[in-house]
Amino acid sequence: MPKKNTRSEAVPTLVQERLRAWGACIKKQRISQNIQAKDLCRRTGISDATLRRLEKGDAGAGVGIFLATLMVLGALDLAAPMLDNYLWESGTRSRVRPPANEGDDDDF
């Protein structure tokens, strides 16, 4: 079964911005650590084309591949910190909202 491509129009702008930031982080860390693209591809088990997609922040690349690559580069905990327990423990059924002074409710 062919992989379903994620259209960028279907991905919210905030998510696109985060993916581009992750991509920039991957590229910067790879270069600053003097890791050649082919070596990073080998270590993460991805193709060169997939690495290029990651470094551009392509939403179709898959979040698992983004996170695995960040982990190999040692940037996972800074780029995507672990969620607070209250967000995923059972018994929490209310919708998470930003504090009153941040953002507006017109996003949804």
Side-chain angles (χ1 to χ4, degrees):
M1 175 181 252
K3 183 177 178 185
K4 185 176 180 180
N5 289 330
T6 303
R7 294 181 41 190
S8 61
E9 302 89 44
V11 178
T13 303
L14 179 60
V15 173
Q16 289 176 9
E17 290 172 2
R18 296 282 170 95
L19 291 174
R20 281 192 295 270
W22 282 0
C25 176
I26 288 169
K27 185 172 185 174
K28 181 179 181 198
Q29 290 301 312
R30 177 179 64 80
I31 291 169
S32 69
Q33 295 178 32
N34 294 318
I35 299 172
Q36 292 182 354
K38 66 179 180 176
D39 292 333
L40 183 57
C41 290
R42 184 180 44 77
R43 289 170 62 184
T44 56
I46 61 175
S47 68
D48 187 57
T50 300
L51 178 59
R52 285 193 304 271
R53 290 175 65 198
L54 290 175
E55 290 182 348
K56 290 180 183 177
D58 185 343
V63 71
I65 297 170
F66 272 103
L67 296 175
T69 305
L70 288 164
M71 183 186 73
V72 166
L73 293 168
L76 178 62
D77 289 336
L78 293 171
M82 185 64 179
L83 295 173
D84 288 331
N85 291 348
Y86 77 90
L87 290 172
W88 55 270
E89 286 181 341
S90 61
T92 305
R93 292 185 175 234
S94 63
R95 183 174 171 174
V96 177
R97 295 194 182 274
N101 59 353
E102 289 184 25
D104 56 17
D105 290 335
D106 295 335
D107 293 341
F108 295 98

